[in-house]
Amino acid sequence: MNYQIEEDEVILYEGLVEFNVELNKPLTTIFTLTSKRMIFELEKGFFKKTKELVDIIYLNDIKVFNGEVQCKQKLNDLVIQTSKKNFTLSFNSLFEAKKVNTKVLNAVTGTTVAERGSNKVKGALDLVDETLGLDTRGIAKGLLENGVKGTIINGIKKHK
């Protein structure tokens, strides 16, 4: 091991992956994803196995555009854009690629899939409220409390 895991750093995933930087020949590497970085190592030696560090990529170098982390899954591959280079990680299965993609997104954004989904719904509701001048949350609450008939009779309140 040619690196130290920091005190506040957590290992999220370890496994073999083909690491392909732009147009170079892909290398089968030992891949370690932590809460702060991606570490790529080659295993060397026939009898006495040693690890040689290939690259370390910090998660805060991954580009984010319009709130979207630039780590995209294409079948068994993850295509990742960073401020320094673009590269592809190829996994043995679609499931492994999805699992690592989710872990990268969680680590980069500091949120879970459920939290990101909830934030998208909240953003959409806020946009509707702002655009139409309605209180969609109030309408939904009224529907649940009073039913459709009671909500129509009481009227739809305008959002202030």
Short mmCIF file of all heavy atoms in Angstrom, two decimals, residues 18-43:
data_model
loop_
_atom_site.label_atom_id
_atom_site.label_comp_id
_atom_site.label_asym_id
_atom_site.label_seq_id
_atom_site.Cartn_x
_atom_site.Cartn_y
_atom_site.Cartn_z
N GLU A 18 -11.12 -2.20 -14.74
CA GLU A 18 -10.28 -1.74 -15.85
C GLU A 18 -10.32 -0.23 -15.84
O GLU A 18 -11.38 0.38 -15.93
CB GLU A 18 -10.79 -2.28 -17.19
CG GLU A 18 -10.27 -3.63 -17.52
CD GLU A 18 -10.46 -4.00 -18.98
OE1 GLU A 18 -10.94 -3.18 -19.80
OE2 GLU A 18 -10.15 -5.15 -19.32
N PHE A 19 -9.14 0.36 -15.71
CA PHE A 19 -8.98 1.82 -15.61
C PHE A 19 -8.43 2.30 -16.94
O PHE A 19 -7.35 1.90 -17.35
CB PHE A 19 -8.01 2.11 -14.45
CG PHE A 19 -7.67 3.55 -14.25
CD1 PHE A 19 -8.65 4.50 -14.06
CD2 PHE A 19 -6.34 3.95 -14.20
CE1 PHE A 19 -8.32 5.84 -13.83
CE2 PHE A 19 -6.00 5.27 -13.98
CZ PHE A 19 -6.99 6.21 -13.79
N ASN A 20 -9.21 3.12 -17.64
CA ASN A 20 -8.82 3.58 -18.97
C ASN A 20 -8.87 5.10 -19.00
O ASN A 20 -9.94 5.70 -18.96
CB ASN A 20 -9.77 3.00 -20.02
CG ASN A 20 -9.29 3.25 -21.44
OD1 ASN A 20 -8.27 3.88 -21.67
ND2 ASN A 20 -10.04 2.73 -22.39
N VAL A 21 -7.69 5.72 -19.05
CA VAL A 21 -7.60 7.17 -19.12
C VAL A 21 -7.56 7.57 -20.59
O VAL A 21 -6.63 7.21 -21.31
CB VAL A 21 -6.34 7.69 -18.39
CG1 VAL A 21 -6.24 9.20 -18.52
CG2 VAL A 21 -6.37 7.27 -16.94
N GLU A 22 -8.61 8.28 -21.02
CA GLU A 22 -8.78 8.76 -22.38
C GLU A 22 -8.43 7.70 -23.42
O GLU A 22 -9.08 6.69 -23.50
CB GLU A 22 -8.05 10.09 -22.57
CG GLU A 22 -8.76 11.19 -21.78
CD GLU A 22 -7.89 12.38 -21.42
OE1 GLU A 22 -6.68 12.36 -21.69
OE2 GLU A 22 -8.44 13.33 -20.87
N LEU A 23 -7.37 7.84 -24.20
CA LEU A 23 -7.09 6.90 -25.29
C LEU A 23 -6.00 5.89 -24.96
O LEU A 23 -5.52 5.19 -25.84
CB LEU A 23 -6.71 7.68 -26.57
CG LEU A 23 -7.79 8.64 -27.07
CD1 LEU A 23 -7.27 9.46 -28.24
CD2 LEU A 23 -9.04 7.89 -27.47
N ASN A 24 -5.59 5.80 -23.71
CA ASN A 24 -4.57 4.84 -23.31
C ASN A 24 -5.13 3.42 -23.28
O ASN A 24 -6.34 3.22 -23.29
CB ASN A 24 -4.00 5.19 -21.93
CG ASN A 24 -3.27 6.52 -21.93
OD1 ASN A 24 -2.82 6.98 -22.97
ND2 ASN A 24 -3.17 7.12 -20.78
N LYS A 25 -4.24 2.46 -23.23
CA LYS A 25 -4.64 1.06 -23.09
C LYS A 25 -5.18 0.85 -21.68
O LYS A 25 -4.56 1.28 -20.71
CB LYS A 25 -3.42 0.16 -23.33
CG LYS A 25 -3.74 -1.29 -23.26
CD LYS A 25 -2.49 -2.13 -23.47
CE LYS A 25 -2.85 -3.59 -23.25
NZ LYS A 25 -1.70 -4.40 -22.96
N PRO A 26 -6.33 0.17 -21.53
CA PRO A 26 -6.89 -0.02 -20.19
C PRO A 26 -5.99 -0.93 -19.34
O PRO A 26 -5.41 -1.88 -19.83
CB PRO A 26 -8.24 -0.68 -20.45
CG PRO A 26 -8.26 -1.10 -21.85
CD PRO A 26 -7.16 -0.39 -22.57
N LEU A 27 -5.90 -0.59 -18.05
CA LEU A 27 -5.15 -1.38 -17.09
C LEU A 27 -6.12 -2.04 -16.12
O LEU A 27 -7.03 -1.37 -15.61
CB LEU A 27 -4.22 -0.48 -16.25
CG LEU A 27 -3.01 0.14 -16.90
CD1 LEU A 27 -2.37 1.13 -15.93
CD2 LEU A 27 -2.01 -0.93 -17.27
N THR A 28 -5.94 -3.33 -15.84
CA THR A 28 -6.73 -3.97 -14.80
C THR A 28 -6.06 -3.63 -13.48
O THR A 28 -4.91 -4.02 -13.24
CB THR A 28 -6.82 -5.48 -15.02
OG1 THR A 28 -7.44 -5.71 -16.29
CG2 THR A 28 -7.66 -6.14 -13.94
N THR A 29 -6.76 -2.88 -12.65
CA THR A 29 -6.18 -2.38 -11.41
C THR A 29 -7.00 -2.79 -10.20
O THR A 29 -8.18 -3.15 -10.33
CB THR A 29 -6.09 -0.84 -11.43
OG1 THR A 29 -7.41 -0.29 -11.51
CG2 THR A 29 -5.24 -0.33 -12.57
N ILE A 30 -6.37 -2.71 -9.06
CA ILE A 30 -7.07 -2.84 -7.78
C ILE A 30 -7.62 -1.44 -7.50
O ILE A 30 -6.86 -0.48 -7.43
CB ILE A 30 -6.13 -3.31 -6.67
CG1 ILE A 30 -5.55 -4.67 -7.02
CG2 ILE A 30 -6.86 -3.35 -5.33
CD1 ILE A 30 -4.36 -5.08 -6.17
N PHE A 31 -8.93 -1.35 -7.37
CA PHE A 31 -9.61 -0.06 -7.22
C PHE A 31 -10.13 0.06 -5.80
O PHE A 31 -10.82 -0.83 -5.31
CB PHE A 31 -10.76 0.00 -8.23
CG PHE A 31 -11.69 1.16 -8.06
CD1 PHE A 31 -11.25 2.46 -8.18
CD2 PHE A 31 -13.04 0.95 -7.79
CE1 PHE A 31 -12.12 3.54 -8.05
CE2 PHE A 31 -13.92 2.01 -7.66
CZ PHE A 31 -13.45 3.31 -7.78
N THR A 32 -9.78 1.15 -5.14
CA THR A 32 -10.29 1.45 -3.81
C THR A 32 -10.99 2.80 -3.87
O THR A 32 -10.37 3.80 -4.23
CB THR A 32 -9.15 1.49 -2.77
OG1 THR A 32 -8.43 0.26 -2.82
CG2 THR A 32 -9.70 1.70 -1.37
N LEU A 33 -12.28 2.80 -3.53
CA LEU A 33 -13.05 4.04 -3.45
C LEU A 33 -13.19 4.38 -1.98
O LEU A 33 -13.65 3.55 -1.18
CB LEU A 33 -14.42 3.86 -4.09
CG LEU A 33 -15.40 5.02 -3.93
CD1 LEU A 33 -14.91 6.27 -4.66
CD2 LEU A 33 -16.79 4.63 -4.43
N THR A 34 -12.78 5.59 -1.62
CA THR A 34 -12.96 6.05 -0.24
C THR A 34 -13.91 7.24 -0.25
O THR A 34 -14.35 7.68 -1.31
CB THR A 34 -11.62 6.46 0.41
OG1 THR A 34 -11.20 7.72 -0.13
CG2 THR A 34 -10.55 5.41 0.22
N SER A 35 -14.17 7.77 0.90
CA SER A 35 -15.05 8.92 1.01
C SER A 35 -14.41 10.19 0.45
O SER A 35 -15.09 11.19 0.27
CB SER A 35 -15.45 9.15 2.47
OG SER A 35 -14.29 9.24 3.28
N LYS A 36 -13.11 10.14 0.11
CA LYS A 36 -12.42 11.31 -0.41
C LYS A 36 -11.74 11.12 -1.76
O LYS A 36 -11.47 12.10 -2.45
CB LYS A 36 -11.34 11.76 0.59
CG LYS A 36 -11.89 12.27 1.89
CD LYS A 36 -10.79 12.80 2.76
CE LYS A 36 -11.38 13.44 3.99
NZ LYS A 36 -10.37 14.15 4.76
N ARG A 37 -11.46 9.87 -2.15
CA ARG A 37 -10.68 9.67 -3.36
C ARG A 37 -10.85 8.27 -3.95
O ARG A 37 -11.41 7.39 -3.31
CB ARG A 37 -9.20 9.94 -3.07
CG ARG A 37 -8.65 9.12 -1.95
CD ARG A 37 -7.32 9.66 -1.47
NE ARG A 37 -7.00 9.02 -0.20
CZ ARG A 37 -5.81 8.93 0.31
NH1 ARG A 37 -4.79 9.45 -0.34
NH2 ARG A 37 -5.59 8.35 1.46
N MET A 38 -10.36 8.13 -5.18
CA MET A 38 -10.29 6.85 -5.87
C MET A 38 -8.81 6.51 -6.01
O MET A 38 -8.03 7.33 -6.48
CB MET A 38 -10.92 6.95 -7.25
CG MET A 38 -12.40 7.16 -7.22
SD MET A 38 -13.08 7.20 -8.88
CE MET A 38 -13.42 8.93 -9.02
N ILE A 39 -8.45 5.28 -5.63
CA ILE A 39 -7.06 4.86 -5.65
C ILE A 39 -6.95 3.66 -6.59
O ILE A 39 -7.73 2.70 -6.49
CB ILE A 39 -6.58 4.48 -4.24
CG1 ILE A 39 -6.78 5.69 -3.30
CG2 ILE A 39 -5.13 4.02 -4.25
CD1 ILE A 39 -6.85 5.36 -1.85
N PHE A 40 -5.98 3.72 -7.51
CA PHE A 40 -5.75 2.66 -8.49
C PHE A 40 -4.35 2.10 -8.31
O PHE A 40 -3.38 2.86 -8.31
CB PHE A 40 -5.91 3.21 -9.92
CG PHE A 40 -7.27 3.81 -10.16
CD1 PHE A 40 -7.51 5.15 -9.93
CD2 PHE A 40 -8.32 3.02 -10.60
CE1 PHE A 40 -8.76 5.70 -10.14
CE2 PHE A 40 -9.57 3.56 -10.82
CZ PHE A 40 -9.80 4.90 -10.59
N GLU A 41 -4.27 0.76 -8.16
CA GLU A 41 -2.97 0.11 -7.96
C GLU A 41 -2.85 -1.11 -8.86
O GLU A 41 -3.85 -1.76 -9.16
CB GLU A 41 -2.81 -0.36 -6.51
CG GLU A 41 -2.86 0.74 -5.48
CD GLU A 41 -2.87 0.19 -4.08
OE1 GLU A 41 -3.88 -0.43 -3.70
OE2 GLU A 41 -1.86 0.35 -3.39
N LEU A 42 -1.61 -1.41 -9.27
CA LEU A 42 -1.31 -2.63 -10.02
C LEU A 42 -0.66 -3.62 -9.07
O LEU A 42 0.17 -3.24 -8.23
CB LEU A 42 -0.31 -2.35 -11.14
CG LEU A 42 -0.85 -1.74 -12.42
CD1 LEU A 42 0.30 -1.44 -13.38
CD2 LEU A 42 -1.85 -2.66 -13.08
N GLU A 43 -1.02 -4.90 -9.21
CA GLU A 43 -0.36 -5.93 -8.42
C GLU A 43 0.82 -6.43 -9.22
O GLU A 43 0.68 -6.83 -10.37
CB GLU A 43 -1.33 -7.06 -8.10
CG GLU A 43 -0.82 -7.99 -7.04
CD GLU A 43 -1.89 -8.92 -6.52
OE1 GLU A 43 -2.38 -9.74 -7.32
OE2 GLU A 43 -2.23 -8.83 -5.34
#
